[in-house]
Amino acid sequence: MSNHLTGCAVDIRCYGIEQTICYAMILMDYADESKEEFDELFIEKNKYNCYWVHLAVRPSGNRRKVSFLNG
């Protein structure tokens, strides 16, 4: 089941890669400073070159998996 359907993930649509990187860095900095965990933090894009940040959390067992524009 998708983390989006359970309220444990969000996609943040962005205007261009610069804004996308900025949002991802803000989320990573916040997680580090607040000691909050996350499961996934991805920068993704589709075939139309639309970018977004995907952030997912779990109740436990968060992996801090980070991926920028893979696949």
Side-chain angles (χ1 to χ4, degrees):
M1 178 180 291
S2 168
N3 285 332
H4 292 281
L5 296 176
T6 61
C8 293
V10 63
D11 290 335
I12 304 168
R13 292 187 214 172
C14 303
Y15 294 102
I17 188 64
E18 295 87 1
Q19 186 183 58
T20 310
I21 292 169
C22 183
Y23 286 171
M25 295 306 299
I26 289 169
L27 290 168
M28 288 175 57
D29 287 345
Y30 176 79
D32 288 343
E33 290 176 16
S34 66
K35 307 293 187 228
E36 292 289 334
E37 290 298 324
F38 62 89
D39 188 47
E40 301 171 337
L41 178 64
F42 300 155
I43 290 179
E44 300 175 307
K45 76 172 185 169
N46 63 19
K47 65 182 177 181
Y48 304 108
N49 289 323
C50 296
Y51 294 90
W52 65 92
V53 176
H54 167 84
L55 177 68
V57 297
R58 292 178 174 185
S60 63
N62 288 290
R63 301 172 291 174
R64 284 186 78 98
K65 184 176 178 183
V66 176
S67 177
F68 292 172
L69 295 174
N70 282 343

Short mmCIF file of all heavy atoms in Angstrom, two decimals:
data_model
loop_
_atom_site.label_atom_id
_atom_site.label_comp_id
_atom_site.label_asym_id
_atom_site.label_seq_id
_atom_site.Cartn_x
_atom_site.Cartn_y
_atom_site.Cartn_z
N MET A 1 0.84 -1.18 0.00
CA MET A 1 0.00 0.00 0.00
C MET A 1 0.89 1.25 0.00
O MET A 1 1.91 1.30 0.67
CB MET A 1 -0.92 0.00 1.21
CG MET A 1 -1.79 1.24 1.27
SD MET A 1 -2.91 1.33 2.67
CE MET A 1 -4.05 0.05 2.26
N SER A 2 0.49 2.24 -0.74
CA SER A 2 1.24 3.48 -0.85
C SER A 2 1.24 4.25 0.47
O SER A 2 0.21 4.34 1.15
CB SER A 2 0.62 4.36 -1.93
OG SER A 2 1.15 5.67 -1.89
N ASN A 3 2.39 4.79 0.83
CA ASN A 3 2.47 5.66 2.01
C ASN A 3 1.59 6.89 1.86
O ASN A 3 1.14 7.47 2.85
CB ASN A 3 3.91 6.08 2.26
CG ASN A 3 4.74 4.98 2.85
OD1 ASN A 3 4.22 4.10 3.53
ND2 ASN A 3 6.03 5.01 2.60
N HIS A 4 1.33 7.31 0.62
CA HIS A 4 0.45 8.46 0.39
C HIS A 4 -0.97 8.15 0.87
O HIS A 4 -1.64 9.02 1.44
CB HIS A 4 0.41 8.82 -1.10
CG HIS A 4 1.69 9.36 -1.62
ND1 HIS A 4 2.10 10.66 -1.41
CD2 HIS A 4 2.67 8.78 -2.35
CE1 HIS A 4 3.25 10.86 -1.99
NE2 HIS A 4 3.64 9.73 -2.57
N LEU A 5 -1.44 6.94 0.64
CA LEU A 5 -2.80 6.57 1.00
C LEU A 5 -3.01 6.46 2.51
O LEU A 5 -4.13 6.56 2.99
CB LEU A 5 -3.18 5.25 0.33
CG LEU A 5 -3.24 5.28 -1.20
CD1 LEU A 5 -3.54 3.88 -1.74
CD2 LEU A 5 -4.28 6.27 -1.69
N THR A 6 -1.93 6.26 3.25
CA THR A 6 -2.03 6.16 4.70
C THR A 6 -1.66 7.46 5.41
O THR A 6 -1.60 7.49 6.64
CB THR A 6 -1.12 5.03 5.23
OG1 THR A 6 0.24 5.32 4.89
CG2 THR A 6 -1.53 3.69 4.65
N GLY A 7 -1.40 8.51 4.64
CA GLY A 7 -1.05 9.81 5.24
C GLY A 7 0.38 9.89 5.73
O GLY A 7 0.72 10.78 6.50
N CYS A 8 1.23 8.99 5.27
CA CYS A 8 2.63 8.96 5.72
C CYS A 8 3.60 9.46 4.66
O CYS A 8 4.81 9.35 4.83
CB CYS A 8 3.00 7.54 6.12
SG CYS A 8 2.13 6.99 7.59
N ALA A 9 3.09 10.03 3.56
CA ALA A 9 3.97 10.56 2.52
C ALA A 9 3.30 11.75 1.85
O ALA A 9 2.08 11.86 1.81
CB ALA A 9 4.29 9.50 1.48
N VAL A 10 4.15 12.62 1.33
CA VAL A 10 3.68 13.81 0.63
C VAL A 10 4.62 14.08 -0.54
O VAL A 10 5.81 13.79 -0.48
CB VAL A 10 3.62 15.04 1.58
CG1 VAL A 10 5.00 15.41 2.08
CG2 VAL A 10 2.95 16.21 0.92
N ASP A 11 4.07 14.61 -1.64
CA ASP A 11 4.85 15.09 -2.75
C ASP A 11 4.68 16.60 -2.83
O ASP A 11 3.55 17.10 -2.81
CB ASP A 11 4.40 14.47 -4.07
CG ASP A 11 4.73 12.98 -4.17
OD1 ASP A 11 5.67 12.55 -3.49
OD2 ASP A 11 4.05 12.28 -4.94
N ILE A 12 5.80 17.31 -2.89
CA ILE A 12 5.78 18.77 -2.96
C ILE A 12 6.20 19.17 -4.38
O ILE A 12 7.35 18.97 -4.77
CB ILE A 12 6.75 19.39 -1.93
CG1 ILE A 12 6.40 18.91 -0.53
CG2 ILE A 12 6.72 20.91 -2.04
CD1 ILE A 12 7.47 19.24 0.51
N ARG A 13 5.26 19.68 -5.14
CA ARG A 13 5.56 20.10 -6.51
C ARG A 13 6.38 21.39 -6.48
O ARG A 13 6.12 22.28 -5.66
CB ARG A 13 4.28 20.36 -7.29
CG ARG A 13 3.52 19.11 -7.56
CD ARG A 13 2.37 19.41 -8.48
NE ARG A 13 1.25 18.56 -8.12
CZ ARG A 13 0.05 18.67 -8.63
NH1 ARG A 13 -0.20 19.61 -9.50
NH2 ARG A 13 -0.90 17.85 -8.26
N CYS A 14 7.34 21.48 -7.39
CA CYS A 14 8.26 22.62 -7.40
C CYS A 14 8.35 23.21 -8.79
O CYS A 14 8.02 22.57 -9.78
CB CYS A 14 9.64 22.16 -6.95
SG CYS A 14 9.66 21.39 -5.33
N TYR A 15 8.85 24.44 -8.84
CA TYR A 15 9.10 25.13 -10.10
C TYR A 15 10.59 25.06 -10.39
O TYR A 15 11.36 25.89 -9.91
CB TYR A 15 8.63 26.58 -10.04
CG TYR A 15 7.14 26.71 -9.90
CD1 TYR A 15 6.56 26.99 -8.68
CD2 TYR A 15 6.32 26.50 -10.99
CE1 TYR A 15 5.18 27.09 -8.55
CE2 TYR A 15 4.94 26.58 -10.87
CZ TYR A 15 4.38 26.88 -9.65
OH TYR A 15 3.03 26.97 -9.52
N GLY A 16 11.01 24.05 -11.12
CA GLY A 16 12.40 23.91 -11.52
C GLY A 16 13.24 23.16 -10.51
O GLY A 16 12.87 22.98 -9.35
N ILE A 17 14.40 22.74 -10.98
CA ILE A 17 15.28 21.93 -10.15
C ILE A 17 15.87 22.73 -8.99
O ILE A 17 16.09 22.19 -7.91
CB ILE A 17 16.40 21.28 -11.01
CG1 ILE A 17 17.21 20.28 -10.19
CG2 ILE A 17 17.29 22.33 -11.64
CD1 ILE A 17 16.43 19.10 -9.69
N GLU A 18 16.12 24.03 -9.18
CA GLU A 18 16.69 24.83 -8.09
C GLU A 18 15.78 24.88 -6.88
O GLU A 18 16.22 24.67 -5.75
CB GLU A 18 17.01 26.26 -8.57
CG GLU A 18 18.08 26.33 -9.62
CD GLU A 18 17.55 26.16 -11.05
OE1 GLU A 18 16.31 26.01 -11.23
OE2 GLU A 18 18.38 26.13 -11.97
N GLN A 19 14.50 25.13 -7.10
CA GLN A 19 13.54 25.17 -6.00
C GLN A 19 13.39 23.78 -5.37
O GLN A 19 13.30 23.66 -4.16
CB GLN A 19 12.18 25.66 -6.49
CG GLN A 19 11.19 25.85 -5.36
CD GLN A 19 9.82 26.28 -5.84
OE1 GLN A 19 9.22 25.57 -6.64
NE2 GLN A 19 9.36 27.42 -5.36
N THR A 20 13.43 22.75 -6.18
CA THR A 20 13.31 21.38 -5.69
C THR A 20 14.46 21.05 -4.75
O THR A 20 14.25 20.50 -3.66
CB THR A 20 13.27 20.39 -6.87
OG1 THR A 20 12.30 20.83 -7.82
CG2 THR A 20 12.94 18.99 -6.39
N ILE A 21 15.68 21.37 -5.15
CA ILE A 21 16.85 21.13 -4.32
C ILE A 21 16.76 21.93 -3.03
O ILE A 21 17.06 21.43 -1.95
CB ILE A 21 18.14 21.45 -5.09
CG1 ILE A 21 18.34 20.43 -6.21
CG2 ILE A 21 19.35 21.48 -4.15
CD1 ILE A 21 19.43 20.79 -7.19
N CYS A 22 16.31 23.17 -3.12
CA CYS A 22 16.17 24.03 -1.94
C CYS A 22 15.20 23.40 -0.93
O CYS A 22 15.51 23.31 0.25
CB CYS A 22 15.69 25.41 -2.36
SG CYS A 22 15.55 26.58 -1.01
N TYR A 23 14.04 22.96 -1.40
CA TYR A 23 13.06 22.34 -0.49
C TYR A 23 13.61 21.06 0.13
O TYR A 23 13.42 20.81 1.32
CB TYR A 23 11.76 22.03 -1.22
CG TYR A 23 10.90 23.23 -1.53
CD1 TYR A 23 9.78 23.11 -2.34
CD2 TYR A 23 11.18 24.49 -1.02
CE1 TYR A 23 8.98 24.19 -2.64
CE2 TYR A 23 10.39 25.58 -1.31
CZ TYR A 23 9.29 25.42 -2.12
OH TYR A 23 8.49 26.50 -2.40
N ALA A 24 14.30 20.25 -0.67
CA ALA A 24 14.88 19.00 -0.14
C ALA A 24 15.91 19.31 0.94
O ALA A 24 15.94 18.65 1.98
CB ALA A 24 15.50 18.19 -1.27
N MET A 25 16.74 20.32 0.72
CA MET A 25 17.75 20.69 1.71
C MET A 25 17.11 21.23 2.99
O MET A 25 17.59 20.94 4.09
CB MET A 25 18.73 21.71 1.12
CG MET A 25 19.57 21.17 -0.02
SD MET A 25 20.47 19.65 0.38
CE MET A 25 21.50 20.19 1.70
N ILE A 26 16.06 22.00 2.86
CA ILE A 26 15.34 22.50 4.04
C ILE A 26 14.82 21.33 4.87
O ILE A 26 14.96 21.31 6.09
CB ILE A 26 14.20 23.45 3.64
CG1 ILE A 26 14.77 24.77 3.12
CG2 ILE A 26 13.23 23.69 4.81
CD1 ILE A 26 13.75 25.67 2.44
N LEU A 27 14.21 20.36 4.21
CA LEU A 27 13.69 19.19 4.92
C LEU A 27 14.80 18.38 5.58
O LEU A 27 14.65 17.93 6.72
CB LEU A 27 12.88 18.31 3.96
CG LEU A 27 11.55 18.91 3.51
CD1 LEU A 27 10.97 18.11 2.35
CD2 LEU A 27 10.57 19.01 4.66
N MET A 28 15.92 18.20 4.90
CA MET A 28 17.03 17.46 5.48
C MET A 28 17.62 18.21 6.67
O MET A 28 17.92 17.61 7.70
CB MET A 28 18.10 17.19 4.42
CG MET A 28 17.68 16.15 3.42
SD MET A 28 18.84 15.88 2.07
CE MET A 28 20.33 15.46 2.92
N ASP A 29 17.79 19.54 6.53
CA ASP A 29 18.30 20.34 7.65
C ASP A 29 17.37 20.28 8.85
O ASP A 29 17.81 20.14 9.99
CB ASP A 29 18.51 21.80 7.23
CG ASP A 29 19.70 21.99 6.31
OD1 ASP A 29 20.55 21.07 6.22
OD2 ASP A 29 19.79 23.06 5.69
N TYR A 30 16.07 20.38 8.60
CA TYR A 30 15.09 20.31 9.68
C TYR A 30 15.17 18.96 10.40
O TYR A 30 15.16 18.90 11.63
CB TYR A 30 13.68 20.56 9.18
CG TYR A 30 12.66 20.40 10.27
CD1 TYR A 30 12.46 21.42 11.19
CD2 TYR A 30 11.93 19.22 10.41
CE1 TYR A 30 11.54 21.27 12.22
CE2 TYR A 30 11.02 19.07 11.44
CZ TYR A 30 10.82 20.09 12.35
OH TYR A 30 9.94 19.93 13.37
N ALA A 31 15.25 17.88 9.63
CA ALA A 31 15.34 16.54 10.22
C ALA A 31 16.59 16.42 11.09
O ALA A 31 16.53 15.85 12.18
CB ALA A 31 15.33 15.48 9.14
N ASP A 32 17.70 16.96 10.62
CA ASP A 32 18.95 16.90 11.39
C ASP A 32 18.86 17.71 12.67
O ASP A 32 19.23 17.24 13.74
CB ASP A 32 20.13 17.38 10.54
CG ASP A 32 20.52 16.40 9.46
OD1 ASP A 32 20.12 15.22 9.53
OD2 ASP A 32 21.24 16.81 8.52
N GLU A 33 18.38 18.95 12.56
CA GLU A 33 18.33 19.85 13.71
C GLU A 33 17.31 19.40 14.76
O GLU A 33 17.55 19.53 15.96
CB GLU A 33 18.01 21.27 13.27
CG GLU A 33 19.16 21.92 12.51
CD GLU A 33 18.81 23.29 11.98
OE1 GLU A 33 17.80 23.88 12.43
OE2 GLU A 33 19.54 23.78 11.10
N SER A 34 16.19 18.88 14.33
CA SER A 34 15.12 18.49 15.26
C SER A 34 15.21 17.03 15.69
O SER A 34 14.42 16.60 16.52
CB SER A 34 13.76 18.73 14.60
OG SER A 34 13.60 17.86 13.50
N LYS A 35 16.14 16.29 15.10
CA LYS A 35 16.28 14.85 15.38
C LYS A 35 15.04 14.07 14.96
O LYS A 35 14.77 13.00 15.48
CB LYS A 35 16.61 14.58 16.85
CG LYS A 35 17.79 15.35 17.38
CD LYS A 35 19.07 14.91 16.76
CE LYS A 35 20.24 15.58 17.45
NZ LYS A 35 21.19 16.17 16.54
N GLU A 36 14.27 14.62 14.03
CA GLU A 36 13.11 13.92 13.47
C GLU A 36 13.60 12.97 12.38
O GLU A 36 14.48 13.30 11.60
CB GLU A 36 12.12 14.91 12.85
CG GLU A 36 11.43 15.79 13.85
CD GLU A 36 10.44 15.05 14.72
OE1 GLU A 36 9.90 14.01 14.29
OE2 GLU A 36 10.21 15.51 15.85
N GLU A 37 13.03 11.80 12.35
CA GLU A 37 13.41 10.80 11.36
C GLU A 37 12.45 10.84 10.17
O GLU A 37 11.32 11.28 10.27
CB GLU A 37 13.41 9.41 11.98
CG GLU A 37 14.54 9.20 12.97
CD GLU A 37 15.92 9.31 12.34
OE1 GLU A 37 16.09 8.89 11.17
OE2 GLU A 37 16.82 9.83 13.02
N PHE A 38 12.93 10.36 9.04
CA PHE A 38 12.12 10.19 7.84
C PHE A 38 12.52 8.88 7.19
O PHE A 38 13.62 8.37 7.40
CB PHE A 38 12.26 11.37 6.88
CG PHE A 38 13.65 11.57 6.34
CD1 PHE A 38 14.07 10.94 5.19
CD2 PHE A 38 14.54 12.40 7.00
CE1 PHE A 38 15.34 11.13 4.69
CE2 PHE A 38 15.82 12.61 6.52
CZ PHE A 38 16.23 11.97 5.35
N ASP A 39 11.64 8.34 6.39
CA ASP A 39 11.93 7.09 5.71
C ASP A 39 12.54 7.34 4.34
O ASP A 39 13.56 6.77 4.00
CB ASP A 39 10.67 6.25 5.58
CG ASP A 39 10.97 4.86 5.06
OD1 ASP A 39 11.91 4.22 5.59
OD2 ASP A 39 10.29 4.40 4.13
N GLU A 40 11.92 8.22 3.55
CA GLU A 40 12.38 8.50 2.19
C GLU A 40 12.33 10.00 1.92
O GLU A 40 11.38 10.67 2.29
CB GLU A 40 11.48 7.83 1.14
CG GLU A 40 11.41 6.34 1.25
CD GLU A 40 10.34 5.75 0.35
OE1 GLU A 40 9.38 6.47 -0.03
OE2 GLU A 40 10.46 4.56 0.03
N LEU A 41 13.36 10.49 1.26
CA LEU A 41 13.39 11.86 0.76
C LEU A 41 13.96 11.80 -0.65
O LEU A 41 15.15 11.55 -0.83
CB LEU A 41 14.24 12.77 1.65
CG LEU A 41 14.37 14.22 1.19
CD1 LEU A 41 13.01 14.91 1.19
CD2 LEU A 41 15.35 14.97 2.05
N PHE A 42 13.10 11.95 -1.63
CA PHE A 42 13.50 11.81 -3.03
C PHE A 42 13.23 13.10 -3.80
O PHE A 42 12.23 13.78 -3.55
CB PHE A 42 12.70 10.71 -3.74
CG PHE A 42 12.83 9.35 -3.15
CD1 PHE A 42 11.83 8.42 -3.34
CD2 PHE A 42 13.95 8.96 -2.43
CE1 PHE A 42 11.92 7.13 -2.82
CE2 PHE A 42 14.06 7.68 -1.90
CZ PHE A 42 13.05 6.77 -2.10
N ILE A 43 14.10 13.41 -4.73
CA ILE A 43 13.80 14.39 -5.77
C ILE A 43 13.50 13.58 -7.02
O ILE A 43 14.28 12.73 -7.44
CB ILE A 43 14.98 15.34 -6.03
CG1 ILE A 43 15.16 16.29 -4.85
CG2 ILE A 43 14.74 16.14 -7.32
CD1 ILE A 43 16.32 17.26 -5.01
N GLU A 44 12.33 13.85 -7.59
CA GLU A 44 11.88 13.09 -8.75
C GLU A 44 11.41 14.04 -9.84
O GLU A 44 11.11 15.20 -9.58
CB GLU A 44 10.75 12.15 -8.36
CG GLU A 44 11.16 11.16 -7.28
CD GLU A 44 10.02 10.29 -6.80
OE1 GLU A 44 8.97 10.83 -6.40
OE2 GLU A 44 10.20 9.07 -6.83
N LYS A 45 11.35 13.53 -11.07
CA LYS A 45 10.77 14.29 -12.17
C LYS A 45 10.10 13.33 -13.13
O LYS A 45 10.42 12.13 -13.16
CB LYS A 45 11.80 15.15 -12.88
CG LYS A 45 12.74 14.42 -13.81
CD LYS A 45 13.60 15.40 -14.59
CE LYS A 45 14.44 14.63 -15.60
NZ LYS A 45 15.08 15.52 -16.54
N ASN A 46 9.17 13.86 -13.91
CA ASN A 46 8.49 13.03 -14.89
C ASN A 46 8.98 13.35 -16.30
O ASN A 46 9.90 14.17 -16.47
CB ASN A 46 6.96 13.17 -14.77
CG ASN A 46 6.47 14.57 -15.05
OD1 ASN A 46 7.15 15.39 -15.66
ND2 ASN A 46 5.25 14.86 -14.60
N LYS A 47 8.38 12.73 -17.29
CA LYS A 47 8.83 12.92 -18.67
C LYS A 47 8.58 14.34 -19.19
O LYS A 47 9.12 14.72 -20.22
CB LYS A 47 8.18 11.89 -19.59
CG LYS A 47 6.68 12.01 -19.71
CD LYS A 47 6.12 10.91 -20.59
CE LYS A 47 4.61 10.99 -20.66
NZ LYS A 47 4.06 9.91 -21.49
N TYR A 48 7.78 15.11 -18.48
CA TYR A 48 7.51 16.49 -18.87
C TYR A 48 8.44 17.48 -18.15
O TYR A 48 8.21 18.68 -18.19
CB TYR A 48 6.05 16.85 -18.59
CG TYR A 48 5.09 15.90 -19.25
CD1 TYR A 48 4.38 14.98 -18.50
CD2 TYR A 48 4.91 15.91 -20.63
CE1 TYR A 48 3.50 14.09 -19.10
CE2 TYR A 48 4.03 15.02 -21.24
CZ TYR A 48 3.34 14.12 -20.47
OH TYR A 48 2.47 13.24 -21.08
N ASN A 49 9.46 16.95 -17.47
CA ASN A 49 10.42 17.74 -16.70
C ASN A 49 9.76 18.53 -15.57
O ASN A 49 10.19 19.63 -15.23
CB ASN A 49 11.24 18.66 -17.60
CG ASN A 49 12.23 17.89 -18.44
OD1 ASN A 49 12.80 16.92 -17.99
ND2 ASN A 49 12.40 18.31 -19.68
N CYS A 50 8.73 17.96 -14.97
CA CYS A 50 8.13 18.52 -13.76
C CYS A 50 8.81 17.86 -12.57
O CYS A 50 8.95 16.64 -12.53
CB CYS A 50 6.63 18.24 -13.73
SG CYS A 50 5.73 19.05 -15.07
N TYR A 51 9.23 18.67 -11.60
CA TYR A 51 9.98 18.20 -10.45
C TYR A 51 9.12 18.21 -9.19
O TYR A 51 8.23 19.04 -9.05
CB TYR A 51 11.19 19.09 -10.20
CG TYR A 51 12.23 19.03 -11.29
CD1 TYR A 51 12.19 19.89 -12.37
CD2 TYR A 51 13.26 18.10 -11.23
CE1 TYR A 51 13.14 19.83 -13.36
CE2 TYR A 51 14.22 18.03 -12.22
CZ TYR A 51 14.16 18.90 -13.28
OH TYR A 51 15.10 18.84 -14.27
N TRP A 52 9.45 17.31 -8.26
CA TRP A 52 8.82 17.31 -6.95
C TRP A 52 9.74 16.66 -5.93
O TRP A 52 10.65 15.92 -6.27
CB TRP A 52 7.45 16.64 -6.98
CG TRP A 52 7.46 15.18 -7.30
CD1 TRP A 52 7.51 14.14 -6.41
CD2 TRP A 52 7.39 14.58 -8.59
NE1 TRP A 52 7.48 12.94 -7.07
CE2 TRP A 52 7.41 13.19 -8.42
CE3 TRP A 52 7.33 15.08 -9.89
CZ2 TRP A 52 7.37 12.30 -9.47
CZ3 TRP A 52 7.29 14.20 -10.94
CH2 TRP A 52 7.30 12.83 -10.73
N VAL A 53 9.46 16.96 -4.66
CA VAL A 53 10.13 16.32 -3.54
C VAL A 53 9.14 15.34 -2.93
O VAL A 53 8.01 15.71 -2.63
CB VAL A 53 10.57 17.34 -2.46
CG1 VAL A 53 11.18 16.64 -1.26
CG2 VAL A 53 11.54 18.35 -3.04
N HIS A 54 9.57 14.12 -2.76
CA HIS A 54 8.77 13.08 -2.11
C HIS A 54 9.34 12.86 -0.71
O HIS A 54 10.54 12.61 -0.57
CB HIS A 54 8.84 11.78 -2.92
CG HIS A 54 8.31 10.58 -2.20
ND1 HIS A 54 6.97 10.28 -2.16
CD2 HIS A 54 8.93 9.63 -1.46
CE1 HIS A 54 6.81 9.17 -1.45
NE2 HIS A 54 7.98 8.77 -1.00
N LEU A 55 8.51 13.00 0.31
CA LEU A 55 8.92 12.77 1.70
C LEU A 55 7.98 11.76 2.33
O LEU A 55 6.75 11.93 2.27
CB LEU A 55 8.88 14.07 2.50
CG LEU A 55 9.23 13.95 3.98
CD1 LEU A 55 10.70 13.60 4.16
CD2 LEU A 55 8.88 15.23 4.72
N ALA A 56 8.55 10.71 2.92
CA ALA A 56 7.75 9.68 3.59
C ALA A 56 8.30 9.43 4.99
O ALA A 56 9.52 9.53 5.20
CB ALA A 56 7.75 8.39 2.79
N VAL A 57 7.40 9.12 5.91
CA VAL A 57 7.78 8.77 7.28
C VAL A 57 7.09 7.47 7.66
O VAL A 57 6.09 7.09 7.07
CB VAL A 57 7.39 9.88 8.29
CG1 VAL A 57 8.13 11.16 7.99
CG2 VAL A 57 5.89 10.13 8.28
N ARG A 58 7.64 6.79 8.65
CA ARG A 58 7.06 5.57 9.20
C ARG A 58 6.92 5.76 10.71
O ARG A 58 7.69 6.51 11.31
CB ARG A 58 7.98 4.37 8.97
CG ARG A 58 8.14 3.95 7.55
CD ARG A 58 9.10 2.78 7.50
NE ARG A 58 9.20 2.23 6.16
CZ ARG A 58 9.89 1.16 5.86
NH1 ARG A 58 10.56 0.51 6.81
NH2 ARG A 58 9.93 0.71 4.64
N PRO A 59 6.00 5.04 11.33
CA PRO A 59 5.90 5.11 12.79
C PRO A 59 7.19 4.66 13.46
O PRO A 59 7.57 5.17 14.51
CB PRO A 59 4.74 4.17 13.12
CG PRO A 59 3.93 4.10 11.87
CD PRO A 59 4.92 4.24 10.75
N SER A 60 7.89 3.70 12.84
CA SER A 60 9.19 3.24 13.36
C SER A 60 9.97 2.63 12.20
O SER A 60 9.41 2.33 11.15
CB SER A 60 9.01 2.22 14.48
OG SER A 60 8.37 1.07 13.98
N GLY A 61 11.26 2.45 12.40
CA GLY A 61 12.08 1.82 11.38
C GLY A 61 12.39 2.69 10.19
O GLY A 61 12.58 2.18 9.08
N ASN A 62 12.45 4.01 10.38
CA ASN A 62 12.77 4.92 9.28
C ASN A 62 14.20 4.70 8.80
O ASN A 62 15.11 4.50 9.60
CB ASN A 62 12.57 6.36 9.73
CG ASN A 62 11.10 6.70 9.86
OD1 ASN A 62 10.40 6.79 8.88
ND2 ASN A 62 10.65 6.86 11.09
N ARG A 63 14.39 4.75 7.48
CA ARG A 63 15.67 4.41 6.86
C ARG A 63 16.52 5.61 6.46
O ARG A 63 17.67 5.43 6.10
CB ARG A 63 15.42 3.55 5.62
CG ARG A 63 14.67 2.28 5.91
CD ARG A 63 14.28 1.57 4.63
NE ARG A 63 13.25 2.37 3.94
CZ ARG A 63 12.76 2.10 2.75
NH1 ARG A 63 13.22 1.06 2.06
NH2 ARG A 63 11.83 2.84 2.19
N ARG A 64 15.96 6.81 6.44
CA ARG A 64 16.67 8.01 5.95
C ARG A 64 17.22 7.77 4.54
O ARG A 64 18.34 8.13 4.23
CB ARG A 64 17.77 8.44 6.88
CG ARG A 64 17.25 9.15 8.12
CD ARG A 64 18.38 9.71 8.97
NE ARG A 64 18.93 10.94 8.45
CZ ARG A 64 18.61 12.16 8.86
NH1 ARG A 64 17.72 12.31 9.80
NH2 ARG A 64 19.17 13.21 8.34
N LYS A 65 16.41 7.19 3.69
CA LYS A 65 16.81 6.91 2.32
C LYS A 65 16.67 8.19 1.49
O LYS A 65 15.60 8.79 1.44
CB LYS A 65 15.93 5.79 1.74
CG LYS A 65 16.31 5.36 0.37
CD LYS A 65 15.45 4.19 -0.09
CE LYS A 65 15.81 3.79 -1.49
NZ LYS A 65 14.93 2.71 -1.98
N VAL A 66 17.77 8.59 0.86
CA VAL A 66 17.78 9.82 0.05
C VAL A 66 18.18 9.45 -1.36
O VAL A 66 19.13 8.70 -1.59
CB VAL A 66 18.79 10.84 0.64
CG1 VAL A 66 18.89 12.07 -0.24
CG2 VAL A 66 18.40 11.23 2.07
N SER A 67 17.45 10.00 -2.34
CA SER A 67 17.74 9.76 -3.74
C SER A 67 17.37 10.99 -4.55
O SER A 67 16.26 11.51 -4.41
CB SER A 67 16.94 8.55 -4.25
OG SER A 67 17.18 8.36 -5.63
N PHE A 68 18.30 11.45 -5.36
CA PHE A 68 18.06 12.62 -6.19
C PHE A 68 18.11 12.23 -7.65
O PHE A 68 19.16 11.93 -8.20
CB PHE A 68 19.08 13.71 -5.91
CG PHE A 68 18.96 14.35 -4.56
CD1 PHE A 68 19.90 15.24 -4.12
CD2 PHE A 68 17.89 14.08 -3.71
CE1 PHE A 68 19.80 15.85 -2.88
CE2 PHE A 68 17.76 14.68 -2.48
CZ PHE A 68 18.73 15.57 -2.07
N LEU A 69 16.94 12.19 -8.29
CA LEU A 69 16.77 11.97 -9.73
C LEU A 69 17.34 10.66 -10.23
O LEU A 69 17.99 10.61 -11.27
CB LEU A 69 17.39 13.14 -10.51
CG LEU A 69 16.71 14.48 -10.30
CD1 LEU A 69 17.49 15.58 -11.00
CD2 LEU A 69 15.28 14.46 -10.78
N ASN A 70 17.08 9.59 -9.55
CA ASN A 70 17.45 8.26 -10.05
C ASN A 70 16.31 7.69 -10.85
O ASN A 70 15.16 7.83 -10.49
CB ASN A 70 17.79 7.30 -8.90
CG ASN A 70 19.16 7.56 -8.35
OD1 ASN A 70 19.98 8.20 -8.98
ND2 ASN A 70 19.41 7.06 -7.16
N GLY A 71 16.67 6.99 -11.92
CA GLY A 71 15.69 6.27 -12.73
C GLY A 71 14.65 7.14 -13.27
O GLY A 71 13.65 6.95 -13.70
#
